[in-house]
Amino acid sequence: MRMGYWSLYLIISVSLSFCIVGTSQLQSSQIQVLMQLRKHLEYPDELAVWNDNNANVCFMSPSTKINVTCEVDVVTELRIMGSKPFKVGKFVGYAIPNLTLSDRFSMDSFVATLARLTSLRALSLVSLGIWGPLPDKINRLSSLEFLDLSSNFLYGSVPPRIATMVKLQTLRLDGNFFNESVPDWLHSLSNLSILSLSDNHLKGPFPASIRKIRTLSTLALSNNKISGGLPDLSSLSGLKMLDLSWNELDSELPKLPGALFMALLNNNSFTGEIPQEFRKLNHLQHLDLSLNHLQGRLPTILFSLPNISYLNLASNELSGSLPIHLACGKKLEFADLSNNRLIGEIPWCLNKITAQFYGNCLTAGGVNQHPESYCAKMQQKKNNYSAKSALALVGVIGGIVAVVGLLAFGILVIYRKYCPRGCQEQSLLQKQVQENSVTGVTSEILANARYISEVSKSGTQGIPACRTFSMEELKEATMNFDKSALMGEGARGKMYQGTLQSKTLVAVRCLSLSNKYTTRNLKLRLDLLAKLRHPHLVCLLGHCIDTGAKADSSGNKVYLIYEYVPNGNLRSHLSANAMISDLGQVRALKWPERLVILIDIAKAVQFLHTGIIPGFFNNRLRTNNILIDEHRRAKLSDYGLSIIYDDDEFGGKAAAKSWQMKIIEDDIYCFGFILLESLIGPSVAAKKKAVLLTEMASFGSEEGQRRVIDPIVLSTSSKESLTTVISITNKCVSSESSTRPSFEDVLWNLQYAAQVQATADGDQKIGSMAQP
């Protein structure tokens, strides 16, 4: 059998390494450098295997935490994965106890020591708490081909001297605090293949010089503050993965390279129409253009691209209709067209895949559809606004020209008359804006409500507005709260299923609250809760305060009306035993499906924490509060209720005196147990903490994983994907709240696990097709 070049190279390299053991030792100066590096890093547990007098560090078995590779008698590769938290919400450039290395750490001295490993070709120092500006002297490592300093606390600018490290093929600086502009000298790295600077605070324009890096295959600059236009990227002929999501780019979409496999351009402000040139992206598998301001008709060719499997166009301003006989590509598995202005019928081929349509004006599109007149009206408003904007722009330009002309004429007249005092002083009067006040409501709450209202528009257009229900409506919907309509009863009251006059199914939660708020104040808080709108939150359709009856001698009875989610909760979908839902018999979720649901909920909680001010914490995260819809997508229920009462009102222990003071770590800790339950199965809920910690300790070995992890997970997951989720789970359930990751980090790791899983599944399909 003919062997691949790469496999042959590995065998030769390994054989050579074993030959070296008997003939050569690592230079004593190299050993000394490694020991000094361990001291700089303040003796992390990961380096406890190094002994001061041990000269054989090169021949220790590599692990996921540390790997040292040597050639002859020098170190050529150094990889260390620490256990420091990935990131904190705020970092001001000083050491943080338990998060960064101590204030004795010197970044300059550390890099100077590293530079003594002159033969180093690969350097990876991740999650080690390294902090400070990255010094220019990093370029002394001139032989480096791979540099990864992700998930540390580096800030300032990316040092320009890196431009001289022309052998670099991979540069990863993700998850730091770099806060200057994206470097414009990156094209000097003529061999660069992977450039990843995501999750920083980089700002300014996208550097057009990046287009000159013809060797680039991966470009990831997501979650920064890059603004302005995005230039034509078609010259990057080898680019396969492009991630510019979560920035502030606001131009029209440019041409993209034809070799792209994945393009993530979501959560920006791109305008205009989707270019017709996208029809040439024959290798594209994953396209996300959601949460932008794209307009015009939706190019139908996107659905039939030969390799497209994931297409997300949600939350734009796309209009028109799709042909009922739309041709979908054979590999298309998921499409999200929600929250646009589409009309007409749903194409047949989209009913055969996982697709989302809510927030449009489609016929037979299920619940949460507007009438067709709504989309026509919204489009007309947009056209009128564009026309008025154009006329206003012409008027402004004309006015400026006229003013400039008059000024020029005046100056000319003054000059001719030689009038030294011809210029008269003019005063500008600033118009004062009087701030309206509302008696009985603090300006802080009103400001928060306005801010939430603005944020809720992002990605949730088309979700029904919350309204006030009458008790008569609720009694009619639930047959006067008949026992047959009772869905369940928990710590937060009874839940009933109901049917409104519009035939819409709803879930009605009945809450008994103390009388600590006036009716007006309670209504204000409920209105604030109603402004929480996200695709992965169970939609609050309305509320009702029963002023005619009291829950007891000192309380109010409040009803919350939610959309009805028909497919049970996550816990019931994790069991190997089939369950029955409104949609019939349901099988247990496979690992890729679990990842999709976990990502959905992580996005929802991240929105609750950071997408609104003030953030909503302590959201009672647990698998039986995660509901699954008919498309096997997740929605979080029971969120944000701490705004109307504290935990001690329903039998729990209050962790803070007010809902604003709930700490973010509580949700991260609870989400860690959701991750754990997704790995092990529903049995997590019945086990004590000590037992769970013992089982989690078994995750470190393959034998332990086989003993503890759900067989369905083991049989449907790749090793790298599973390891990634296990690692972030361990961090989430850490007993020290200060060491837990942010939801941003959790989401990033879950999305990475999903990507590597999708790649592994794709490779497996290709391999099976290649077999005779």
Side-chain angles (χ1 to χ4, degrees):
M1 180 181 295
R2 191 162 61 92
M3 189 176 300
Y5 172 81
W6 180 243
S7 300
L8 185 60
Y9 171 80
L10 286 177
I11 290 176
I12 294 174
S13 299
V14 172
S15 301
L16 181 59
S17 297
F18 277 103
C19 292
I20 291 171
V21 176
T23 61
S24 177
Q25 296 288 339
L26 190 62
Q27 291 179 11
S28 59
S29 61
Q30 298 271 294
I31 298 174
Q32 187 179 28
V33 171
L34 293 178
M35 298 308 136
Q36 288 178 350
L37 290 175
R38 183 173 69 160
K39 182 178 180 181
H40 278 298
L41 295 173
E42 300 174 1
Y43 302 97
D45 294 339
E46 292 78 14
L47 299 185
V49 294
W50 290 0
N51 296 319
D52 290 350
N53 299 320
N54 189 349
N56 293 321
V57 293
C58 298
F59 307 113
M60 293 180 178
S61 299
S63 68
T64 57
K65 294 292 185 181
I66 180 171
N67 183 31
V68 181
T69 303
C70 308
E71 290 184 9
V72 189
D73 56 356
V74 294
V75 177
T76 58
E77 179 178 341
L78 176 61
R79 300 177 189 264
I80 306 173
M81 169 70 79
S83 55
K84 295 285 188 182
F86 288 145
K87 206 170 183 180
V88 294
K90 186 176 182 182
F91 177 62
V92 294
Y94 297 98
I96 304 175
N98 301 320
L99 296 178
T100 69
L101 298 175
S102 70
D103 54 8
R104 298 186 301 273
F105 174 76
S106 169
M107 189 67 191
D108 195 72
S109 298
F110 178 67
V111 173
T113 303
L114 272 173
R116 292 168 59 190
L117 298 175
T118 54
S119 300
L120 206 58
R121 294 200 298 268
L123 175 64
S124 177
L125 304 172
V126 177
S127 298
L128 290 167
I130 298 170
W131 66 276
L134 186 59
D136 266 329
K137 64 180 63 175
I138 189 72
N139 77 323
R140 295 180 185 177
L141 294 166
S142 57
S143 297
L144 273 186
E145 299 172 3
F146 180 98
L147 176 61
D148 186 355
L149 301 177
S150 300
S151 302
N152 285 295
F153 294 81
L154 305 177
Y155 61 89
S157 61
V158 180
R161 292 286 181 87
I162 288 183
T164 65
M165 303 170 68
V166 294
K167 294 183 179 180
L168 267 183
Q169 299 175 22
T170 296
L171 176 61
R172 293 185 183 274
L173 300 174
D174 308 289
N176 282 287
F177 291 84
F178 291 108
N179 53 3
E180 298 295 333
S181 59
V182 182
D184 60 358
W185 42 257
L186 291 166
H187 63 284
S188 300
L189 303 175
S190 56
N191 292 302
L192 198 63
S193 176
I194 297 175
L195 174 62
S196 192
L197 306 176
S198 295
D199 299 306
N200 280 283
H201 298 281
L202 295 168
K203 55 193 175 184
F206 180 91
S209 58
I210 286 181
R211 296 181 297 172
K212 300 178 182 178
I213 313 176
R214 303 302 170 84
T215 54
L216 209 56
S217 64
T218 297
L219 175 60
L221 301 175
S222 63
N223 203 18
N224 282 289
K225 299 178 181 179
I226 303 171
S227 58
L230 184 62
D232 185 341
L233 300 179
S234 58
S235 61
L236 298 174
S237 56
L239 193 66
K240 292 179 172 57
M241 201 284 279
L242 175 66
D243 186 0
L244 299 176
S245 58
W246 293 93
N247 277 290
E248 299 170 6
L249 298 165
D250 57 8
S251 64
E252 294 188 354
L253 289 172
K255 292 181 180 179
L256 299 179
L260 267 183
F261 279 40
M262 178 180 292
L264 306 177
L265 300 173
N266 53 291
N267 293 82
N268 281 283
S269 297
F270 287 113
T271 59
E273 298 186 358
I274 299 175
Q276 291 296 324
E277 287 83 355
F278 278 25
R279 69 176 62 237
K280 301 176 183 178
L281 302 176
N282 292 328
H283 298 283
L284 195 61
Q285 300 175 10
H286 188 120
L287 177 63
D288 193 341
L289 300 176
S290 60
L291 289 155
N292 282 290
H293 302 292
L294 299 173
Q295 305 166 7
R297 298 186 68 87
L298 204 165
T300 57
I301 189 66
L302 292 180
F303 296 90
S304 58
L305 291 174
N307 287 290
I308 194 74
S309 62
Y310 179 99
L311 180 61
N312 193 342
L313 305 173
S315 301
N316 282 286
E317 299 166 18
L318 300 170
S319 57
S321 60
L322 292 172
I324 191 67
H325 297 291
L326 175 72
C328 290
K330 294 180 179 179
K331 298 183 179 181
L332 185 62
E333 298 177 352
F334 176 84
D336 191 347
L337 308 179
S338 56
N339 296 320
N340 281 287
R341 297 168 187 171
L342 302 176
I343 61 175
E345 297 186 29
I346 297 175
W348 292 342
C349 70
L350 294 183
N351 286 318
K352 299 178 181 179
I353 64 172
T354 301
Q356 295 186 354
F357 309 103
Y358 59 82
N360 286 286
C361 301
L362 297 166
T363 58
V367 296
N368 298 334
Q369 294 292 322
H370 296 291
E372 187 169 323
S373 58
Y374 171 86
C375 289
K377 183 178 179 182
M378 293 297 293
Q379 190 62 29
Q380 185 62 40
K381 283 184 178 180
K382 182 68 179 179
N383 295 338
N384 292 341
Y385 176 79
S386 300
K388 290 179 181 179
S389 299
L391 289 174
L393 182 61
V394 170
V396 169
I397 293 175
I400 292 173
V401 171
V403 170
V404 171
L406 289 173
L407 287 175
F409 178 76
I411 293 172
L412 181 61
V413 171
I414 293 169
Y415 174 76
R416 288 183 174 180
K417 290 187 176 182
Y418 298 98
C419 179
R421 297 181 180 272
C423 297
Q424 299 179 351
E425 294 181 355
Q426 298 186 15
S427 61
L428 297 176
L429 300 177
Q430 294 186 351
K431 186 177 183 180
Q432 295 182 349
V433 179
Q434 299 297 327
E435 190 173 301
N436 294 327
S437 61
V438 180
T439 305
V441 181
T442 66
S443 60
E444 179 184 3
I445 293 180
L446 285 176
N448 290 340
R450 285 195 297 270
Y451 185 72
I452 293 175
S453 180
E454 290 301 314
V455 172
S456 68
K457 294 176 184 177
S458 176
T460 57
Q461 301 94 334
I463 293 180
C466 185
R467 68 179 180 90
T468 301
F469 285 79
S470 67
M471 278 303 302
E472 288 71 22
E473 285 182 279
L474 299 186
K475 288 179 179 180
E476 181 181 351
T478 61
M479 297 178 291
N480 200 21
F481 298 99
D482 189 79
K483 289 183 179 181
S484 62
L486 183 65
M487 297 170 61
E489 183 175 3
R492 291 195 168 181
K494 296 180 179 180
M495 182 75 80
Y496 294 88
Q497 181 178 338
T499 305
L500 302 179
Q501 286 186 347
S502 62
K503 306 302 181 182
T504 301
L505 289 177
V506 294
V508 181
R509 180 179 289 284
C510 177
L511 300 175
S512 298
L513 305 182
S514 66
N515 208 15
K516 62 188 297 185
Y517 303 120
T518 64
T519 301
R520 180 178 180 181
N521 189 279
L522 180 58
K523 187 176 186 304
L524 177 67
R525 291 170 178 271
L526 290 172
D527 288 341
L528 200 59
L529 181 62
K531 294 180 186 294
L532 300 178
R533 287 291 191 262
H534 189 275
H536 299 300
L537 295 177
V538 175
C539 181
L540 179 62
L541 301 176
H543 53 73
C544 172
I545 302 175
D546 187 4
T547 56
K550 297 288 184 179
D552 52 40
S553 59
S554 60
N556 293 312
K557 186 167 286 188
V558 175
Y559 298 88
L560 301 180
I561 297 87
Y562 294 96
E563 66 171 318
Y564 180 71
V565 182
N567 208 10
N569 59 46
L570 176 57
R571 178 169 295 171
S572 61
H573 283 255
L574 297 178
S575 174
N577 299 320
M579 57 159 284
I580 303 296
S581 75
D582 289 6
L583 302 178
Q585 191 167 354
V586 178
R587 60 170 173 79
L589 295 169
K590 296 180 181 179
W591 180 243
E593 295 169 323
R594 299 186 190 200
L595 286 176
V596 169
I597 287 171
L598 293 172
I599 290 170
D600 288 347
I601 297 304
K603 287 180 178 179
V605 181
Q606 186 188 37
F607 167 76
L608 291 171
H609 285 186
T610 63
I612 52 181
I613 297 176
F616 281 72
F617 307 128
N618 193 22
N619 291 290
R620 289 176 59 81
L621 302 180
R622 57 193 64 181
T623 51
N624 56 7
N625 285 343
I626 297 173
L627 305 183
I628 311 299
D629 67 12
E630 63 272 22
H631 302 297
R632 292 203 166 207
R633 302 305 297 267
K635 294 194 174 192
L636 179 65
S637 66
D638 272 9
Y639 57 88
L641 295 185
S642 52
I643 191 175
I644 53 178
Y645 54 79
D646 296 327
D647 284 351
D648 53 2
E649 290 191 44
F650 57 87
K653 295 181 178 179
K657 294 181 180 179
S658 64
W659 67 277
Q660 293 99 328
M661 298 299 293
K662 298 296 183 184
I663 56 175
I664 195 170
E665 286 83 2
D666 288 346
D667 278 349
I668 295 173
Y669 185 75
C670 293
F671 192 77
F673 280 92
I674 291 176
L675 294 173
L676 191 58
E677 194 164 341
S678 298
L679 289 165
I680 296 177
S683 59
V684 168
K687 294 181 180 179
K688 294 183 178 180
K689 182 178 178 181
V691 177
L692 289 174
L693 293 176
T694 301
E695 291 188 345
M696 289 176 63
S698 303
F699 286 165
S701 66
E702 292 188 7
E703 181 181 352
Q705 291 179 10
R706 286 194 296 270
R707 186 176 67 253
V708 175
I709 293 178
D710 188 339
I712 296 176
V713 172
L714 288 175
S715 63
T716 58
S717 64
S718 70
K719 182 177 181 180
E720 186 176 2
S721 176
L722 187 60
T723 301
T724 301
V725 176
I726 288 174
S727 175
I728 198 66
T729 302
N730 284 325
K731 290 179 170 64
C732 287
V733 298
S734 170
S735 57
E736 294 292 333
S737 62
S738 61
T739 65
R740 295 172 195 154
S742 66
F743 254 98
E744 181 180 80
D745 296 319
V746 174
L747 181 57
W748 188 93
N749 277 270
L750 290 174
Q751 289 174 329
Y752 175 77
Q755 289 176 8
V756 298
Q757 182 64 47
T759 302
D761 290 343
D763 292 344
Q764 186 177 8
K765 288 180 181 178
I766 293 172
S768 61
M769 291 171 62
Q771 293 179 356

